[in-house]
Amino acid sequence: MQFADRLNAIETSAIRELFKLLGKPGIISFAGGFPDPALFDVEGIRESTAAVLASNPGPVLQYGATEGYQPLREQLSVFMKNKGATVAPDGLIVTTGSQQALDLIGKTLISPGDKVIVEAPTFLATIQCFRLYGAHLIGAPIDADGVNVDKLEQLIEEHKPKLVYLIPTFGNPSGATLSLARRKRILEIAVRTGTVIVEDDPYGELYFGDAPPASLLALSDSVPGSRDWLVHCGSLSKILSPGLRVGWMIAPTELLARATMCKQFSDAHTSNLTQAAAAHYLTLNRLDGALAVVRKTYAERARVMGESLRSALGDAITFNAPQGGMFFWARLTGAQGKETNATVFAQRAIEKLVAFVPGAPFYAHDADASTLRLSFATADVAKIEEGVARLGQAL
Amino acid sequence: MQFADRLNAIETSAIRELFKLLGKPGIISFAGGFPDPALFDVEGIRESTAAVLASNPGPVLQYGATEGYQPLREQLSVFMKNKGATVAPDGLIVTTGSQQALDLIGKTLISPGDKVIVEAPTFLATIQCFRLYGAHLIGAPIDADGVNVDKLEQLIEEHKPKLVYLIPTFGNPSGATLSLARRKRILEIAVRTGTVIVEDDPYGELYFGDAPPASLLALSDSVPGSRDWLVHCGSLSKILSPGLRVGWMIAPTELLARATMCKQFSDAHTSNLTQAAAAHYLTLNRLDGALAVVRKTYAERARVMGESLRSALGDAITFNAPQGGMFFWARLTGAQGKETNATVFAQRAIEKLVAFVPGAPFYAHDADASTLRLSFATADVAKIEEGVARLGQAL
């Protein structure tokens, strides 16, 4: 059987191979990108699902609009307004998780050979998704304040990319958050150069202390013309439940219309049952309470992971403590002659029954092999202490 | 904003414009492709959803495997076995409706410029979906026994297509069912020429009298080597509920692995909640009872539509009475100087408050403008009689 040429652009993920080892008994995993299921508001989702199947079973079980279930679009409009962004219900479409928003962005915008700028490092599934549409990816360097805007501006001038993809808040894998000043500059650059900016924001609600800077979307009101170049992807996966597969995409009208058309031929529409349940849930005034618990729990886990890493690995590792989200991004320094290759380290760690993801696959090119990603979302404090101690032994 | 070149391959559907008119008060619609929501087994779905959220909320609300929720894969394996096809649970993947299976087939198999043979006419969303991947579509003629196999064989020899897409049972829009003899010949041709055959089978369970011939998949056991060239798409949309968005795809191992990889970057996975509910539902032994009601209801509506068409439109229209599914496919003959253009007729019909879909958009090329599709699934018998009477006045 002869497959489509586009499949040559991506390879089987090294991470997939690693994940096969995660079933080992007794393993402590910092490898996943999953939220902690113990924190799901199961009662609220149960109530919501039962309510919509009781009150409105016909439309909930029937085919629905490709754009999304209207009551959910209305609730998401309110949700975004509470985050400081003005979006009409028909200014967004519901997607099957925000992964589908990425797919629709690729399908509607990227022709084979088009250049796309991403953070280095960035979300692995974005790299693969865009490459399937023929994107030539260019990595822009980041630091603790997110993408380096001077460098990004240079790259935009030089490559005239089809779009720039950013996770500005508590990035995956970087954990970094783009500063307010950089956010404003990026919007200005978008307008000046006529460049589409995609803001992927699945983690913005998971802050530990103060709320992060306003999203690019919320800030776009203060930079005239910037809304015309801005795409925003949101998701309920990290704040309510990934199993519902409910995300959304906000974009200029013309792009949204084309994304809707493409979605029609991708999956017709997102499940009405999960959309209706999510819409109902958002009317229950339970989300703030559920999120408060998630924030407090993750904050404590992040604090313990940071302290444990310092005590168990000392100067053999560097990292910036994240202010929210789910990830530590770290680098092996080689201090005291320790290992600097994170893939080698990962293999040794698995032998000690602790897992993490090496950082190299998160780079579109020129990978830094000394980097790694550690998730603190699913292991409790005791497991984090024990797991990091094992990392110390493995290194 | 500059969009991807692939969008130039498709145009805004004429049908979309027509559908905007369907909200008119008092309209009787034969235009949709929706099942009748009054026939949904709401109680069974309610029970199933509650059961999985009570017994297993963590995995149901968490991220899941891209291949599908394992208990559902197991139930679908049993479901297919009851339809005469042997498929191991890991011989299928769950898709977000069977529309996503079409998208994954396009993504994994079609390079721009590749030739693909479809029935003339065929499912509109397949035409658009494959064109977005750059397919050059070639239509193979059909009659009441499905695709003309002699002609199909010629077209395969001549064009060496990447794949052949068929809806062999109660086709959309044709209503036609491929004969057993033709099914066997197609499998033989697939093996001899090394051609992928995609069998889309959303309607096979909706038979009015005897069950239709066994699916290509079920017959593949009797044609050595044919399974290596066969892709089968199934769906719960027409037999349980479209709002769940649960379909599946059965394919040779290598193709299934690549489709799974592409799905990972399309929507990560299908909602676990709807998958788990569907899996639970399939253990309840309710489906046969629910399907018996659907079959009886649709059979009666089809009978009434056929009789009404004959009495209201006489020899100005020809059609073959379908033996199952949801559609009449008809042709305006021009007898007694009546209109032969179905698009003109559709506009006049809307004025008389009755809607149907002109047939032209269902052709990849060389459309027959005198054809039209009438769905009998959602209107009750009285509405069908009244609606067809209005068609008579409109013509």
Side-chain angles (χ1 to χ4, degrees), chain B residues 157-180:
Chain B
E157 304 275 6
E158 181 184 343
H159 294 289
K160 311 205 180 316
K162 202 61 168 288
L163 63 93
V164 174
Y165 170 84
L166 302 171
I167 309 173
T169 308
F170 315 136
N172 179 7
S174 71
T177 294
L178 193 66
S179 67
L180 181 62

Side-chain angles (χ1 to χ4, degrees), chain A residues 16 63 103 107 238 264, chain B residues 16 63 103 107 238:
Chain A
R16 257 179 119 78
Y63 282 109
D103 187 59
K107 216 168 193 174
K238 307 304 191 295
Q264 202 185 342
Chain B
R16 258 179 118 77
Y63 282 109
D103 186 59
K107 217 168 194 174
K238 307 305 188 296

Side-chain angles (χ1 to χ4, degrees), chain B residues 41 91 129:
Chain B
D41 181 3
C129 174

Side-chain angles (χ1 to χ4, degrees), chain A residues 228-241:
Chain A
D228 297 342
W229 299 101
L230 199 55
V231 180
H232 180 100
C233 307
S235 172
L236 294 181
S237 292
K238 307 304 191 295
I239 60 181
L240 181 59
S241 148

Side-chain angles (χ1 to χ4, degrees), chain A residues 106-126:
Chain A
K107 216 168 193 174
T108 49
L109 287 174
I110 302 173
S111 290
D114 278 353
K115 291 176 177 174
V116 170
I117 297 179
V118 298
E119 289 160 289
T122 191
F123 180 41
L124 183 55
T126 301

Side-chain angles (χ1 to χ4, degrees), chain A residues 3-19:
Chain A
F3 298 103
D5 299 337
R6 68 180 64 82
L7 300 190
N8 299 332
I10 64 175
E11 60 225 16
T12 305
S13 157
I15 292 184
R16 257 179 119 78
E17 299 304 308
L18 179 75
F19 270 67

Side-chain angles (χ1 to χ4, degrees), chain B residues 69-333:
Chain B
Y69 188 70
Q70 199 60 25
L72 178 59
R73 297 173 88 194
E74 285 161 14
Q75 286 302 317
L76 292 175
S77 169
V78 173
F79 178 83
M80 292 308 299
K81 192 170 179 60
N82 291 339
K83 297 181 67 173
T86 310
V87 186
D90 62 1
L92 63 88
I93 64 172
V94 178
T95 56
T96 305
S98 61
Q99 183 65 45
Q100 188 185 46
L102 301 179
D103 186 59
L104 295 174
I105 288 164
K107 217 168 194 174
T108 50
L109 286 174
I110 302 172
S111 290
D114 279 353
K115 292 176 177 173
V116 170
I117 297 179
V118 299
E119 287 159 290
T122 190
F123 181 41
L124 184 55
T126 301
I127 294 177
Q128 308 280 43
C129 174
F130 287 175
R131 279 195 175 143
L132 277 170
Y133 290 105
H136 174 73
L137 297 179
I138 297 156
I142 63 162
D143 56 33
D145 288 334
V147 72
N148 177 326
V149 180
D150 290 331
K151 186 65 187 162
L152 177 63
E153 187 168 22
Q154 272 176 35
L155 289 170
I156 290 174
E157 304 275 6
E158 181 184 343
H159 294 289
K160 311 205 180 316
K162 202 61 168 288
L163 63 93
V164 174
Y165 170 84
L166 302 171
I167 309 173
T169 308
F170 315 136
N172 179 7
S174 71
T177 294
L178 193 66
S179 67
L180 181 62
R182 288 187 182 183
R183 287 174 193 240
K184 288 186 176 162
R185 268 198 65 201
I186 287 174
L187 291 173
E188 289 159 4
I189 294 168
V191 176
R192 187 174 59 72
T193 60
T195 305
V196 175
I197 308 288
V198 176
E199 173 177 53
D200 194 1
D201 188 25
Y203 308 106
E205 290 293 315
L206 306 180
Y207 49 86
F208 302 154
D210 294 337
S215 65
L216 291 173
L217 185 72
L219 292 169
S220 67
D221 283 348
S222 65
V223 180
S226 61
R227 189 68 176 261
D228 297 342
W229 298 101
L230 199 57
V231 180
H232 180 99
C233 307
S235 171
L236 294 181
S237 292
K238 307 305 188 296
I239 59 180
L240 182 59
S241 150
L244 300 179
R245 308 309 300 129
V246 172
W248 59 96
M249 174 177 171
I250 296 158
T253 309
E254 278 208 314
L255 176 55
L256 208 59
R258 283 168 174 80
T260 304
M261 183 185 69
C262 285
K263 179 170 167 64
Q264 200 184 344
F265 309 125
S266 293
D267 68 0
H269 63 93
T270 298
S271 168
N272 283 339
L273 176 56
T274 64
Q275 287 191 77
H280 188 90
Y281 183 87
L282 291 173
T283 67
L284 295 179
N285 289 321
R286 296 180 69 112
L287 185 60
D288 285 347
L291 270 176
V293 177
V294 173
R295 285 176 190 137
K296 185 157 171 279
T297 308
Y298 287 2
E300 174 68 2
R301 290 175 184 174
R303 187 185 61 75
V304 170
M305 180 171 271
E307 287 173 9
S308 303
L309 285 170
R310 272 186 210 102
S311 98
L313 291 115
D315 60 356
I317 199 166
T318 59
F319 56 86
N320 294 303
Q323 302 305 304
M326 296 164 49
F327 305 111
F328 271 73
W329 180 246
R331 207 166 69 80
L332 301 175
T333 62

